[in-house]
């Protein structure tokens, strides 16, 4: 199973360790690949250097200078998460060409779209009982780093391995009337999700997440669930279809 977590599921060291605990419990029965982002950490490191960020369509416009900071920030976070998870190895896209990408749109600078995943490397590590922890930096056609939205990077990994994916965030899933918790949708079809985006009740960071979940299904993932990283037992429950919002074709 692929577990994606990002900024909202690592707001504190306590939450980060709770998620790591969930992963450690799950992998006793199911091999797990972790894919992570870290938007807030990137933001902090850019701000510390006086580099302002602009987002277009939920993606950070990434200059070469910003890319250096993104890679540095995610590399450090990657090692911390790998340590949290234990029996793990932390990797970015440059390692054995784990994530290869093309430039998504020159107007966004060094932002990538994943075109290849080194699934053999992931399978080798899993076969040795090691949990891969993958940061969302890919290698581009020029051999330099590209910044990939972590939800889309995770979807590419799930597609390449043909395994299910759980996106952990700070809400229980997709709400039909956000933020009313009683409006949580346990299931959402592609048509309903597209209608939600058009209708505006799926908004902000939930748009790329829902789209990444649908992309993962298109690429061959058997299931895609969006769930809260703050609930105990969430990963096992999500895999059983008993937590979060499950996207269906
Ligand atoms: N219909 C909705 N249901 C749930 N959350 C929504 C919805 N529409 C927008 N959101 C927002 O999406 C956020 C999750 O996306 P994001 O902040 O990008 O997560 P992450 O950083 O974990 O990847 C929620 O915190 C919420 O503010
Ligand atoms: C291109 C692009 O926008 N990349 C993201 C990568 C990190 C990410 O996606 O982190 P979360 O999972 O915490 O959102 C960024 O620079 O913020």
């Amino acid at each position: 199973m692929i577990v994606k977590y990002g900024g909202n599921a690592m707001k504190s060291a306590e939450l980060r360790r709770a998620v790591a605990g969930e992963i450690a419990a799950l992998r006793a029965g199911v091999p797990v690949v972790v894919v992570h982002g870290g938007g807030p950490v990137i933001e902090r490191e850019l701000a510390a250097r006086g580099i302002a960020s602009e987002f277009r369509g939920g993606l950070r416009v990434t200059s070469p200078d910003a890319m250096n900071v993104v890679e540095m920030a995610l590399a450090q976070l990657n090692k911390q998460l790998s340590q949290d998870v234990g029996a793990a190895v932390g990797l970015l896209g440059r390692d054995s060409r784990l994530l290869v990408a093309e430039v998504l749109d020159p107007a966004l600078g060094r932002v990538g779209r994943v075109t290849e995943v080194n699934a053999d490397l992931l399978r080798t590590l899993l076969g040795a009982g090691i949990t891969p922890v993958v940061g969302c930096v890919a290698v581009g056609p020029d051999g330099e780093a590209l910044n990939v939205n972590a939800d889309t990077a995770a979807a590419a990994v799930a597609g390449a391995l043909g395994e299910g994916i759980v996106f952990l965030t700070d809400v229980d899933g997709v709400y039909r009337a956000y933020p009313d918790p009683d409006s949580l949708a346990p299931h959402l079809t592609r048509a309903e999700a597209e209608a939600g985006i058009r209708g505006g009740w799926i908004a902000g960071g939930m748009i790329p997440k829902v789209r990444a979940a649908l992309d993962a299904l298109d690429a061959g993932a058997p299931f895609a669930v969006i769930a809260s990283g703050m609930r105990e037992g969430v990963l096992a429950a999500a895999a059983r279809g008993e937590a979060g919002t499950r996207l269906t074709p």
Side-chain angles (χ1 to χ4, degrees):
M1 189 163 115
I2 286 61
V3 177
K4 185 271 168 172
Y5 62 126
N8 277 327
M10 48 170 95
K11 273 182 181 150
S12 65
E14 195 187 348
L15 183 54
R16 231 180 60 206
R17 278 193 282 273
V19 171
E22 293 290 322
I23 291 166
L26 179 73
R27 70 174 170 201
V30 187
V32 174
V33 176
V34 176
V35 180
H36 70 88
V41 177
I42 294 171
E43 200 62 45
R44 194 183 64 216
E45 294 303 321
L46 287 171
R49 291 162 180 81
I51 303 175
S53 276
E54 182 201 339
F55 282 84
R56 285 191 209 154
L59 301 174
R60 189 188 306 276
V61 179
T62 308
S63 66
D65 280 351
M67 187 64 241
N68 280 334
V69 178
V70 169
E71 188 172 21
M72 219 163 53
L74 286 178
Q76 187 183 46
L77 188 58
N78 180 258
K79 297 303 161 186
Q80 285 168 347
L81 297 180
S82 170
Q83 185 181 12
D84 287 347
V85 170
V89 60
L91 302 162
L92 300 187
R94 290 190 202 252
D95 298 292
S96 298
R97 293 175 68 77
L98 178 56
L99 301 175
V100 178
E102 61 187 13
V103 173
L104 180 64
D105 172 356
L108 298 174
R110 296 207 62 86
V111 172
R113 187 184 76 82
V114 174
T115 53
E116 264 173 64
V117 175
N118 187 342
D120 286 344
L121 174 66
L122 296 175
R123 289 196 191 97
T124 300
L125 292 169
L126 292 171
I130 297 166
T131 300
V133 175
V134 181
C136 59
V137 174
V139 60
D142 57 359
E144 294 301 329
L146 289 173
N147 185 12
V148 181
N149 167 273
D151 291 327
T152 61
V157 171
L161 289 174
E163 298 293 347
I165 179 165
V166 179
F167 297 86
L168 292 180
T169 181
D170 63 342
V171 286
D172 280 322
V174 182
Y175 299 123
R176 291 183 186 274
Y178 177 77
D180 174 5
D182 291 338
S183 71
L184 177 72
H187 299 275
L188 213 54
T189 64
R190 177 185 304 274
E192 287 173 315
E194 294 296 350
I197 293 169
R198 273 196 311 275
W201 54 269
I202 296 177
M206 197 47 88
I207 296 176
K209 207 175 296 300
V210 164
R211 291 220 160 108
L214 294 170
D215 287 349
L217 295 176
D218 284 343
F223 64 83
V225 178
I226 298 171
S228 168
M230 291 174 233
R231 295 249 184 244
E232 215 180 312
V234 62
L235 292 175
R240 289 194 306 267
E242 292 168 6
T245 298
R246 182 176 287 240
L247 279 295
T248 53

